[in-house]
């Protein structure tokens, strides 16, 4: 019988207990970006509604988007989107039974992070009018 | 798959939730890329008329609507899992889950009506 004096045992997913490793850091980042992308869908619907409202309401939306705060938020959302997309594809491949060894988890993790950074660079160069 | 996944685990349910999260993810890969590149190629530089022109194409409207609805369903699935892991008190988690689901439904309606209005040009 466990003693009632024991302090409460850690509950899932044990964020403070384990030493951070590439596998766990990429996993929690997938969660954090997923939750953050809730704001992304809100902005997407706001954009759709502003566009449906006509040229004037669209100009108001673009005015907010072009402020420094707006650009920082859009940069964060695009980074979260690209990360969650690439890491999500990795999750789907795991679900299908591929790349499940520890070695493959690290290898696909590194490939995934490099892909995200490259796509993020391409997206923002394109967004600021650099032709590629 | 149904032969091995008969919800025989300790909770007695959950396969449908797991499956729905993956199906919506599969839809989000092509539609998400399409919307991203549509934004980069037509919306960012094209202004109001460029955005209208892009969304008035049937393919763009279909992909945008699929992206919106699959995205909202995927969002509800994910938030439900995360809230289940970190919010242990039912009196907090369950009302919050209602807000998430109601908010997602409202966003689905607003987004669908907006896409329809843009597409039909009314």
């Amino acid at each position: 019988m466990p003693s009632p004096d024991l302090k409460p045992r850690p509950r899932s997913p044990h964020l403070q207990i384990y030493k951070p490793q590439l596998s766990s850091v990429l996993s929690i980042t997938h969660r954090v970006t997923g939750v953050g992308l809730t704001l992304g869908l809100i902005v997407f619907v706001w954009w759709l509604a502003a566009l449906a409202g006509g040229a004037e309401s669209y100009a108001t939306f673009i005015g907010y988007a072009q402020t420094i705060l707006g650009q920082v938020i859009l940069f964060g959302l695009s980074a979260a989107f690209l990360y969650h997309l690439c890491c999500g594809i990795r999750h789907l491949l795991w679900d299908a039974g591929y790349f499940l060894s520890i070695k493959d988890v690290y290898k696909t993790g590194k490939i995934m992070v490099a892909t995200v950074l490259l796509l993020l660079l391409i997206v923002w160069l394109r967004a600021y009018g650099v032709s590629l | 798959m149904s032969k091995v996944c008969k919800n025989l685990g300790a909770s007695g349910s959950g396969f449908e939730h797991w499956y729905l999260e993956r199906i919506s993810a599969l839809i989000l890969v092509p539609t998400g890329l399409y919307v991203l590149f549509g934004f980069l190629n037509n919306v960012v530089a094209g202004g109001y008329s460029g955005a209208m022109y892009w969304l008035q194409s049937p393919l763009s409207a279909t992909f945008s609507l699929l992206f919106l609805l699959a995205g909202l369903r995927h969002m509800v699935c994910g938030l439900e899992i995360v809230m289940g892991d970190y919010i242990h008190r039912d009196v907090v988690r369950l009302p919050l889950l209602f807000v998430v689901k109601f908010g997602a439904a409202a966003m689905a309606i607003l987004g669908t009506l907006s896409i329809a209005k843009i597409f039909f040009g009314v």
Side-chain angles (χ1 to χ4, degrees):
Chain A
M1 281 286 283
S3 154
D5 300 333
L6 281 176
K7 67 173 183 176
R9 308 316 299 158
R11 302 177 84 159
S12 125
H14 313 304
L15 286 186
Q16 303 92 341
I17 302 298
Y18 290 120
K19 178 182 162 220
Q21 304 160 85
L22 185 70
S23 49
S24 64
V25 170
L26 296 184
S27 173
I28 192 63
T29 308
H30 192 63
R31 275 205 162 190
V32 171
T33 53
V35 173
L37 283 169
T38 300
L39 179 65
L41 274 177
I42 291 171
V43 172
F44 183 61
V45 172
W46 181 18
W47 175 79
L48 285 170
L51 186 60
E56 210 169 292
S57 71
Y58 193 67
T60 309
F61 175 90
I62 295 299
Y64 285 121
Q66 283 177 340
T67 61
I68 291 175
L69 181 64
Q71 293 287 287
V72 168
I73 289 173
L74 286 176
F75 181 81
L77 287 176
S78 63
F81 176 80
L82 291 170
Y83 182 89
H84 202 80
L85 177 72
C86 293
C87 196
I89 291 171
R90 188 163 159 259
H91 269 278
L92 288 171
L93 290 170
W94 283 337
D95 290 336
Y98 300 102
F99 306 118
L100 284 166
S101 70
I102 295 292
K103 199 177 136 219
D104 283 345
V105 165
Y106 274 82
K107 199 165 103 184
T108 56
K110 285 170 189 167
I111 293 171
M112 185 267 292
V113 171
T115 309
V116 170
L117 293 175
L118 182 68
L119 284 174
L120 191 61
L121 182 71
I122 292 172
V123 163
W124 280 85
L125 285 176
R126 281 288 284 136
Y128 276 93
V130 179
S131 54
L132 294 164
Chain B
M1 191 179 284
S2 63
K3 277 184 182 170
V4 280
C5 297
K6 285 184 174 171
N7 288 325
L8 296 176
S11 71
S13 68
F15 173 69
E16 283 77 14
H17 192 278
W18 181 91
Y19 191 62
L20 192 56
E21 196 170 18
R22 267 76 190 167
I23 286 293
S24 54
L26 274 177
I27 298 170
L28 283 167
V29 174
T31 58
L33 285 170
Y34 185 94
V35 169
L36 175 68
F37 285 101
F39 265 68
L40 287 176
N41 291 329
N42 301 280
V43 175
V44 173
Y48 175 73
S49 57
M52 289 294 281
Y53 178 78
W54 180 67
L55 253 186
Q56 278 175 348
S57 116
L59 196 62
S60 301
T62 304
F63 269 77
S64 297
L65 192 55
L66 271 174
F67 174 72
L68 172 74
L69 298 180
L72 286 169
R73 198 63 194 80
H74 191 75
M75 177 192 90
V76 171
C77 275
L79 288 178
E80 195 171 6
I81 294 286
V82 172
M83 283 157 57
D85 277 346
Y86 299 107
I87 306 175
H88 301 302
R89 294 175 59 205
D90 284 354
V91 286
V92 181
R93 192 181 72 252
L94 295 178
L96 200 59
L97 187 60
F98 174 78
V99 171
V100 166
K101 288 184 170 176
F102 187 83
M107 283 162 69
I109 295 169
L110 177 59
T112 304
L113 289 177
S114 298
I115 290 174
K117 183 171 186 283
I118 294 160
F119 182 74
F120 292 110
V122 289

